[in-house]
C-alpha cells in the first residue's frame, strides 16, 4: 500500500513545488534597467532645457536686421540646436532599447514559469487520474483506517482545488505575457520611428553645415557680398511671383462656397505646436478687414509661422499627399523651396513650404496631426519659418511653370486660380 502514500506525496510535492505562487520579479536586473532609463530621461530633460535657451537666442537673432554677422550667428545657433536635437533622439533610442531589453527579460521569466506550470499540471492530472481509480476500501487498506482515509480524501480535494486556482493564475500570467508582447511591438514601432527621425535630423544638420560653408565661400566674410546675395534672391523672387501671377490669373475656375467649410469652423489644426504668426494673409489691411476673403493676387498668399530649422511640421487635417517637391532644384532661392501639398476631404487643400526635410511621398495617406516634415529656410526665405497656404481643393493642382529667367528651368509646384486661395485663419 506504499504506492498510494507515494502518489499522495507526489501530489503534495507537485502542488508545493510547481504551484507555489509564481513571482515574476526580475530583481536587480529590472532595477538596473530602470535606472538606465531614468538616466536617459534626465539627460533628455537637460537637453530640452538647453534647446529652449537656444530657441530664445534664435528669436533675438531673427529679429535683427539681415546682415552677414546675424546670418552666421543664426547658422551657428541652429547647429547647436540640431546637435542637441540629435542627442535627444539618440537618447530616446537608447531608452527604447533598454525598455525592450526589460520587456524581453520579463517575457522570458513568464515563459519559463508558464512552462514549469504546464509540466506540473500535466503531472498532477496524471496522478489524480490514477488515484481516482482507487476505491475507498483500497485507500483504507493503504493508509490503515477510515479516519486517515477520509483525511487523505479531504487533502486530495484541497489539492484539486489548489490546482484549479493555479490554472486560473496561469491564465492570468498568459494574458500578462500577451500584453508584454504587444508592448514589445509598440516599442519596436517607436524605435523605427525614432531611427527615421534621427536620419532626418542628421540630413538637416548636414545641410546646415553646407549652407554655412557656402555663405562663407560666396562672401569671403564681406558684408557687401552678402547684401548682393540677398538682392539677387529678392530679384529672383519678384520675377517668379510675377510669372506665377500671370499664369494663375488666366485660370478661371468656379468655386462653389457651399462646398467649403464655413469661416470660423476650426476644421484645421495648426501645423506647429508653438504658434506665432510673423506674416498674415494678403496685405495687413486686407487680412484684418476680410478674414474670410479670398486672395486677389496682391500681398501674401498664406500665413508665415515662426519655426526654427528642424521644427516638426504636422498635417493640419487628414488627407492624401497629392504632391511634394523642391523648387530649389530648378531655381535656388526663388520660391517655395521644399514643399508638401495635402488634399483633405472637407474641400480644402493645404500647402507647407520652406521645409528642410520631407517625410511623406505622393499618394500617401496621413491622419490629422501626423508628422510630414521639418521646417527650414529653403526657397525664398529671409529667415527660418513655415509658409502655410490653404486652397479650395477644386482650384489647385500640382503643375508646371516654365520660367522665362535663363537662370531657372521649369518649376513643379502647386498652381491655383486666384479665387482658390483662402485665408488660413478662417479655418484654424
Amino acid at each position: 500500500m506504499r504506492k498510494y502514500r507515494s502518489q499522495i506525496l507526489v501530489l503534495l510535492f507537485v502542488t508545493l513545488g510547481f504551484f507555489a505562487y509564481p513571482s515574476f520579479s526580475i530583481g536587480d536586473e529590472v532595477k538596473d534597467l530602470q535606472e538606465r532609463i531614468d538616466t536617459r530621461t534626465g539627460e533628455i530633460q537637460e537637453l530640452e532645457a538647453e534647446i529652449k535657451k537656444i530657441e530664445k537666442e534664435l528669436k533675438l537673432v531673427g529679429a535683427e536686421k539681415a546682415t552677414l554677422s546675424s546670418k552666421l550667428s543664426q547658422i551657428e545657433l541652429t547647429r547647436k540646436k540640431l546637435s542637441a536635437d540629435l542627442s535627444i533622439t539618440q537618447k530616446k533610442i537608447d531608452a527604447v532599447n533598454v525598455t525592450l531589453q526589460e520587456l524581453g527579460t520579463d517575457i522570458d521569466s513568464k515563459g519559463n514559469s508558464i512552462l514549469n506550470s504546464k509540466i506540473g499540471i500535466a503531472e498532477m492530472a496524471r496522478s489524480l487520474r490514477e488515484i481516482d481509480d482507487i476505491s475507498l476500501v483500497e485507500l483504507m487498506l493503504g493508509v490503515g483506517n477510515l479516519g486517515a482515509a477520509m483525511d487523505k480524501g479531504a487533502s486530495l480535494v484541497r489539492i484539486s482545488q489548489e490546482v484549479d486556482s493555479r490554472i486560473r493564475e496561469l491564465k492570468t500570467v498568459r494574458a500578462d505575457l500577451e500584453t508584454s508582447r504587444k508592448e514589445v511591438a509598440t516599442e519596436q514601432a517607436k524605435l523605427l520611428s525614432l531611427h527615421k527621425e534621427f536620419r532626418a535630423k542628421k540630413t538637416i544638420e548636414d545641410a546646415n553645415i553646407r549652407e554655412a560653408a557656402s555663405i562663407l565661400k560666396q562672401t569671403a566674410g564681406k558684408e557687401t557680398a552678402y547684401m548682393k546675395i540677398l538682392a539677387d534672391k529678392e530679384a529672383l523672387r519678384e520675377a517668379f511671383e510675377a510669372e506665377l501671377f500671370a499664369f494663375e490669373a488666366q485660370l478661371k475656375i468656379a468655386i462653389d462656397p457651399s462646398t467649403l467649410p464655413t469661416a470660423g469652423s476650426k476644421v484645421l489644426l495648426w501645423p506647429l505646436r508653438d504658434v506665432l504668426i510673423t506674416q498674415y494673409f494678403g496685405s495687413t489691411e486686407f487680412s484684418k478687414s476680410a478674414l474670410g476673403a479670398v486672395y486677389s493676387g496682391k500681398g501674401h498668399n498664406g500665413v508665415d509661422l515662426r519655426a526654427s530649422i528642424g521644427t516638426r511640421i504636422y498635417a493640419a487635417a487628414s488627407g492624401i499627399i497629392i504632391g511634394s517637391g523642391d523648387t530649389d532644384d530648378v531655381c535656388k532661392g526663388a520660391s517655395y523651396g521644399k514643399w508638401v501639398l495635402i488634399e483633405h476631404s472637407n474641400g480644402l487643400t493645404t500647402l507647407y513650404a520652406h521645409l528642410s526635410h520631407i517625410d511623406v511621398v505622393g499618394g500617401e495617406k496621413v491622419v490629422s496631426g501626423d508628422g510630414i516634415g521639418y521646417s527650414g529656410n529653403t526657397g525664398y526665405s529671409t529667415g527660418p519659418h513655415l509658409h502655410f497656404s490653404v486652397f479650395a481643393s477644386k482650384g489647385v493642382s500640382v503643375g508646371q511653370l516654365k520660367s522665362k529667367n535663363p537662370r531657372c528651368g521649369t518649376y513643379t509646384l502647386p498652381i491655383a486660380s486666384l479665387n482658390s486661395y483662402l485665408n488660413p485663419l478662417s479655418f484654424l
Side-chain angles (χ1 to χ4, degrees):
M1 296 301 159
R2 291 178 181 175
K3 171 184 176 183
Y4 308 124
R5 290 191 182 92
S6 298
Q7 287 174 320
I8 292 172
L9 287 173
V10 166
L11 283 172
L12 290 171
F13 168 76
V14 170
T15 302
L16 294 175
F18 281 106
F19 292 101
Y21 191 84
S23 173
F24 301 112
S25 171
I26 45 181
D28 293 339
E29 186 173 358
V30 170
K31 183 179 178 182
D32 175 62
L33 292 172
Q34 188 57 52
E35 285 176 354
R36 287 164 61 188
I37 292 173
D38 291 343
T39 298
R40 299 291 190 284
T41 301
E43 291 170 345
I44 288 170
Q45 290 172 346
E46 290 177 4
L47 286 167
E48 286 174 339
E50 180 183 339
I51 287 175
K52 285 183 178 180
K53 289 175 62 178
I54 295 172
E55 290 278 13
K56 289 181 180 179
E57 293 181 63
L58 280 168
K59 290 175 187 176
L60 294 174
V61 172
E64 295 176 2
K65 182 181 177 181
T67 63
L68 178 59
S69 176
S70 65
K71 179 64 176 178
L72 294 176
S73 293
Q74 184 183 77
I75 290 174
E76 176 58 18
L77 287 170
T78 299
R79 184 196 65 76
K80 290 180 179 178
K81 174 185 175 291
L82 292 173
S83 177
D85 273 341
L86 278 172
S87 294
I88 285 176
T89 304
Q90 183 60 59
K91 291 184 185 303
K92 286 180 179 179
I93 289 172
D94 294 341
V96 171
N97 279 324
V98 173
T99 298
L100 284 169
Q101 185 179 347
E102 183 178 355
L103 285 168
T105 301
D106 186 42
I107 286 172
D108 288 344
S109 176
K110 288 176 180 176
N112 289 334
S113 296
I114 287 173
L115 178 61
N116 289 336
S117 296
K118 284 181 177 179
I119 295 171
I121 289 171
E123 180 64 24
M124 178 66 75
R126 185 188 64 77
S127 298
L128 282 175
R129 281 196 299 271
E130 289 181 6
I131 293 178
D132 278 345
D133 294 334
I134 301 173
S135 67
L136 180 61
V137 173
E138 289 175 308
L139 186 58
M140 285 175 61
L141 292 173
V143 297
N145 59 66
L146 180 59
M150 295 300 290
D151 288 342
K152 296 300 182 184
S155 296
L156 291 175
V157 170
R158 286 195 297 274
I159 292 171
S160 180
Q161 291 172 341
E162 182 67 15
V163 171
D164 289 339
S165 174
R166 297 310 181 193
I167 289 174
R168 288 193 295 271
E169 290 169 0
L170 180 58
K171 289 179 179 179
T172 300
V173 174
R174 280 177 171 169
D176 290 343
L177 181 60
E178 184 60 29
T179 298
S180 294
R181 284 173 175 159
K182 289 179 180 178
E183 288 177 7
V184 166
T186 299
E187 292 298 318
Q188 286 175 334
K190 187 188 297 183
L191 188 61
L192 287 174
S193 177
L194 285 169
H195 278 298
K196 181 180 178 182
E197 179 183 328
F198 185 88
R199 290 192 298 270
K201 289 181 176 178
K202 188 68 176 70
T203 299
I204 297 168
E205 182 186 50
D206 291 344
N208 188 66
I209 293 171
R210 288 195 301 272
E211 182 185 14
S214 175
I215 288 175
L216 289 172
K217 182 178 179 180
Q218 291 179 70
T219 63
K222 295 180 180 179
E223 187 68 38
T224 53
Y226 183 65
M227 290 298 106
K228 186 177 184 305
I229 291 173
L230 292 183
D232 287 346
K233 285 183 68 174
E234 177 64 20
L236 281 173
R237 180 192 66 81
E238 289 178 355
F240 164 77
E241 288 187 351
E243 289 178 346
L244 182 62
F245 173 73
F247 186 85
E248 291 185 331
Q250 298 177 47
L251 300 177
K252 304 299 179 184
I253 301 173
I255 305 296
D256 181 359
S258 67
T259 64
L260 302 175
T262 57
S265 55
K266 298 185 183 299
V267 294
L268 299 178
L269 297 177
W270 288 100
L272 289 165
R273 293 290 183 257
D274 182 19
V275 177
L276 177 67
I277 300 173
T278 56
Q279 188 175 0
Y280 287 84
F281 178 71
S283 62
T284 304
E285 294 77 14
F286 177 84
S287 301
K288 290 182 178 178
S289 63
L291 183 63
V294 295
Y295 186 56
S296 64
K298 297 180 180 179
H300 195 219
N301 65 5
V303 294
D304 286 346
L305 305 173
R306 182 187 66 197
S308 61
I309 293 174
T311 302
R312 199 74 165 118
I313 304 299
Y314 304 95
S318 298
I320 298 176
I321 307 298
I322 59 173
S324 64
D326 186 359
T327 61
D328 280 350
D329 290 341
V330 175
C331 196
K332 188 172 177 61
S335 182
Y336 291 134
K338 288 184 171 67
W339 58 270
V340 171
L341 191 67
I342 306 177
E343 183 177 352
H344 310 289
S345 60
N346 55 15
L348 302 179
T349 293
T350 52
L351 170 69
Y352 314 75
H354 305 307
L355 305 180
S356 60
H357 184 81
I358 297 171
D359 272 341
V360 290
V361 295
E364 183 176 343
K365 293 182 179 180
V366 293
V367 174
S368 179
D370 277 356
I372 59 171
Y374 297 84
S375 64
N377 195 31
T378 57
Y380 178 77
S381 172
T382 56
H385 71 283
L386 171 70
H387 174 87
F388 181 67
S389 288
V390 175
F391 307 88
S393 295
K394 187 177 180 181
V396 63
S397 62
V398 176
Q400 292 189 324
L401 177 66
K402 187 175 181 179
S403 176
K404 296 177 182 178
N405 190 324
R407 295 169 55 186
C408 304
T410 300
Y411 296 97
T412 298
L413 75 171
I415 295 175
S417 61
L418 297 182
N419 63 331
S420 298
Y421 286 92
L422 305 174
N423 188 344
L425 298 184
S426 298
F427 309 105
L428 288 164

